[in-house]
Amino acid sequence: MNTDITALAKPEYPVVDRNPPFTKTVGNFNTLDYLRLLSITGVSVTVGYLSGIKPNIRGPSMFTGGLIGLMGGFMYAYQNSAGRLMGFFPNDEEVARYKKYNK
């Protein structure tokens, strides 16, 4: 049984790489991906700090919130980058960039 979602859904945009490796996906992060990653991390650090005020564990709570936000932000940026490479999200920049290198 194939549980790969890409086998079930058809891409709406040109496919740059059907199964992009980790390094290519991370290398494809754009400015908006990094901005989202940092924003999610920053919000999580703040929430962690604020949730640790009452029990007086601000430091560990802030650190834990930051780690959770960093992982969540990275996963969100990775999902968007991989989606653009696989053709599930708008990918005009990626198509132009990879056509230039593949010629």
Side-chain angles (χ1 to χ4, degrees):
M1 181 172 135
N2 189 355
T3 59
D4 185 15
I5 191 168
T6 60
L8 303 174
K10 300 293 181 208
E12 297 178 25
Y13 302 95
V15 176
V16 175
D17 190 341
R18 187 76 175 146
N19 188 16
F22 179 82
T23 53
K24 187 173 188 177
T25 304
V26 173
N28 188 53
F29 280 13
N30 61 20
T31 306
L32 187 57
D33 291 329
Y34 285 113
L35 183 63
R36 289 175 176 155
L37 189 149
L38 291 174
S39 298
I40 292 171
T41 303
V43 167
S44 298
V45 167
T46 305
V47 169
Y49 179 83
L50 294 175
S51 64
I53 289 177
K54 186 69 171 175
N56 200 19
I57 53 168
R58 291 183 295 273
S61 178
M62 182 174 63
F63 181 76
T64 303
L67 281 179
I68 291 170
L70 181 65
M71 289 186 293
F74 178 79
M75 286 187 265
Y76 187 58
Y78 189 90
Q79 173 185 323
N80 285 325
S81 178
R84 288 191 308 271
L85 289 172
M86 292 187 290
F88 292 104
F89 300 132
N91 60 358
D92 295 335
E93 294 175 13
E94 286 78 10
V95 170
R97 183 180 329 131
Y98 287 104
K99 274 187 181 177
K100 179 178 151 185
Y101 290 122
N102 289 334
K103 283 187 176 181

